[in-house]
Amino acid sequence: MDIIVSAPGKVILHGEHSVVYGKPAIAASLNLRSYIHLTPTNDGKVSVNLPSLHLKQSWEITDLEKIAALNNDSPDEVMKMIIELVEKNSDLHGSKTQACSTFLYLYIAICGRNRMSSSMKIQLYSKLPIGAGLGSSASFSVCLATALLLNQNMISDELTVEDRKLIESWSFQGERIIHGNPSGIDNAVATYGGAIRFQSGEILPLQNIPKLRILLVSTGVPRSTKTLVANVRDKYNRLHNIMTPVLEAMASLTVECEKLFVKMSSGDESCTLNFTALEEMIDMNQHLLQTIGVSHPELDKICDITKKYGLHSKLTGAGGGGCAFTLLTPNLKEETLNSVIQELKAEGFHCFETDVGTSGVLIETEPPEKIF
Ligand SMILES: Nc1ncnc2c1ncn2[C@@H]1O[C@H](COP(=O)(O)OP(=O)(O)O)[C@@H](O)[C@H]1O
Ligand SMILES: C[C@@](O)(CCOP(=O)(O)O)CC(=O)O
Ligand SMILES: [Mg+2]
């Protein structure tokens, strides 16, 4: 039976990078989603079509069975063989290698548990920009894990709490292949949706979050989360005593922001003073993120432009390019918003206003081919 699932991207409000060091972070899902369409076949192959990467690739089940036979004995050996198999195609580099290795790893781990006999075609479509800090990798991993688990009847169509736990843990394995050392926040938001507070694998859904309007601004500068996280780790190892209080300050910002959200949702949500405090926190975090070396001249430029209009922005996700978000306050005039968007566009940035806090992973009925 065909399986169609979708999962959202995310925006991290506070706590990117520090979350990798066990500090709390707050993130919310975005209404930009990835979709997977899995079709069982009987051609003895596993085929993927990844239009976002202009990539179509297939592998013989017999080759994958040889790797699956090693599964329990040596996970490192499995990964080595997967990479060798992927790199047999010399056209595959960077993001394509990451995507194929993640797919094959999850396929072998989930479908190779019993006897591997699942020949299938997988198509993945996404509204998310790839490598822009909006969690495309997690949305990809969550879609893959869900579709493969459904194919193996390891979860039910209802996507119960237990099912989602399983999806979350498999998608984390996918993120590990793409990122190296992910915190797990992105795949948690993509699985559960809404807004969450995340710390060391603990996920707390945030019910008390005010309605926030944000503008996402993309620099168009490509970057890799894996590289940025590794650079921060290097700084952390070399300049431990300096980095530690900076990461602590990021943690305190998350905690204070969460307190403010609770206060706002139990009182006057649109109170100007609360928004001023939120804006102050956004500025402070952007400066801390600059300090740890993950901003970019184009991200700084977005902050400078929006500041001229009285608006406050920070990078979101791993930084180094990718996206920033700007908080749109309730009393913001539409003409001011239009002017700031116009200036950002004139500087070559791409702007989109989005809803946050949408559903997590979903089983769909419409084939994504109809949407894209
Ligand atoms: N639609 C997609 N199709 C194929 N691969 C994808 C897709 N979305 C994400 N990926 C994988 O995720 C990687 C980008 O992840 P990452 O660097 O973490 O950035 P992001 O901020 O978008 O999550 C890509 O290199 C690719 O391997
Ligand atoms: C930098 C980090 O905190 C978030 C990365 O998000 P993204 O891949 O840039 O969307 C890394 C992580 O939490 O694993
Ligand atoms: Mg990612």
Side-chain angles (χ1 to χ4, degrees):
M1 205 181 62
D2 279 24
I3 293 166
I4 304 166
V5 298
S6 74
K10 61 88 233 257
V11 60
I12 297 183
L13 298 176
H14 286 291
E16 48 275 274
H17 289 287
S18 49
V19 69
V20 175
Y21 298 81
K23 312 288 182 213
I26 298 177
S29 56
L30 272 183
N31 65 344
L32 299 171
R33 306 179 76 84
S34 301
Y35 296 78
I36 268 194
H37 186 172
L38 184 159
T39 314
T41 57
N42 49 21
D43 58 0
K45 289 186 177 145
V46 174
S47 313
V48 289
N49 176 12
L50 306 174
S52 308
L53 299 180
H54 308 289
L55 176 68
K56 280 187 182 172
Q57 189 71 36
S58 61
W59 298 273
E60 298 290 336
I61 293 260
T62 46
D63 286 338
L64 303 181
E65 270 171 348
K66 284 182 207 144
I67 306 179
L70 291 170
N71 205 2
N72 290 331
D73 305 338
S74 166
D76 289 349
E77 187 64 15
V78 169
M79 215 43 237
K80 201 174 127 221
M81 287 183 73
I82 288 176
I83 289 169
E84 269 170 23
L85 187 65
V86 170
E87 289 181 346
K88 259 192 193 167
N89 178 345
S90 54
D91 289 342
L92 297 187
H93 303 284
S95 50
K96 292 184 182 177
T97 311
Q98 277 180 333
C100 290
S101 309
T102 305
F103 167 69
L104 288 181
Y105 178 83
L106 289 179
Y107 176 82
I108 288 168
I110 295 172
C111 303
R113 286 163 66 91
N114 305 312
R115 245 197 89 252
M116 207 156 62
S117 56
S118 307
S119 121
M120 62 176 72
K121 185 174 90 182
I122 292 253
Q123 306 189 71
L124 187 120
Y125 299 85
S126 190
K127 297 260 185 203
L128 283 157
I130 295 182
L134 302 182
S136 76
S137 61
S139 168
F140 171 71
S141 297
V142 168
C143 281
L144 266 181
T146 309
L148 294 172
L149 289 166
L150 281 167
N151 171 265
Q152 294 295 302
N153 296 319
M154 288 166 70
I155 55 173
S156 69
D157 286 351
E158 275 105 74
L159 296 183
T160 61
V161 175
E162 286 309 311
D163 292 338
R164 282 182 198 265
K165 272 193 190 149
L166 200 59
I167 293 168
E168 195 226 322
S169 70
W170 279 111
S171 57
F172 181 64
Q173 299 306 322
E175 278 281 83
R176 281 182 65 187
I177 293 164
I178 296 174
H179 284 190
N181 181 26
S183 63
I185 189 171
D186 289 6
N187 59 293
V189 190
T191 303
Y192 294 101
I196 63 164
R197 175 194 202 270
F198 182 97
Q199 183 169 21
S200 304
E202 273 200 37
I203 303 156
L204 181 75
L206 294 179
Q207 317 293 358
N208 296 327
I209 187 157
K211 266 211 173 325
L212 292 179
R213 258 180 92 198
I214 60 167
L215 181 72
L216 281 173
V217 188
S218 170
T219 60
V221 177
R223 40 29 110 236
S224 144
T225 302
K226 186 175 185 165
T227 312
L228 285 147
V229 169
N231 291 348
V232 174
R233 175 66 63 181
D234 175 57
K235 241 191 194 69
Y236 180 80
N237 290 338
R238 286 184 297 104
L239 304 169
H240 190 78
N241 294 342
I242 301 167
M243 288 290 278
T244 302
V246 180
L247 297 172
E248 276 301 337
M250 289 177 176
S252 303
L253 274 168
T254 304
V255 171
E256 292 307 314
C257 178
E258 192 187 341
K259 280 190 203 156
L260 191 56
F261 280 164
V262 174
K263 188 174 151 204
M264 285 170 87
S265 51
S266 62
D268 176 8
E269 275 204 7
S270 62
C271 172
T272 316
L273 272 182
N274 291 333
F275 272 91
T276 306
L278 277 183
E279 290 178 329
E280 216 168 359
M281 289 177 197
I282 287 173
D283 290 344
M284 287 174 109
N285 204 351
Q286 172 61 21
H287 290 129
L288 295 173
L289 289 160
Q290 270 173 351
T291 305
I292 65 167
V294 297
S295 194
H296 182 278
E298 293 292 290
L299 288 165
D300 299 341
K301 200 164 164 187
I302 293 170
C303 297
D304 290 344
I305 292 174
T306 54
K307 193 173 167 191
K308 287 199 292 183
Y309 295 84
L311 297 173
H312 299 254
S313 313
K314 71 174 267 291
L315 70 86
T316 184
C323 289
F325 75 80
T326 306
L327 183 67
L328 305 178
T329 45
N331 54 5
L332 177 68
K333 293 200 177 80
E334 277 310 295
E335 58 197 72
T336 312
L337 178 59
N338 291 338
S339 305
V340 72
I341 290 176
Q342 224 167 29
E343 184 166 346
L344 289 164
K345 278 190 180 160
E347 289 292 335
F349 300 115
H350 184 59
C351 304
F352 36 109
E353 225 192 301
T354 48
D355 290 335
V356 293
T358 53
S359 310
V361 63
L362 286 177
I363 298 182
E364 304 278 353
T365 44
E366 282 287 295
E369 297 89 311
K370 282 198 174 171
I371 309 172
F372 287 81

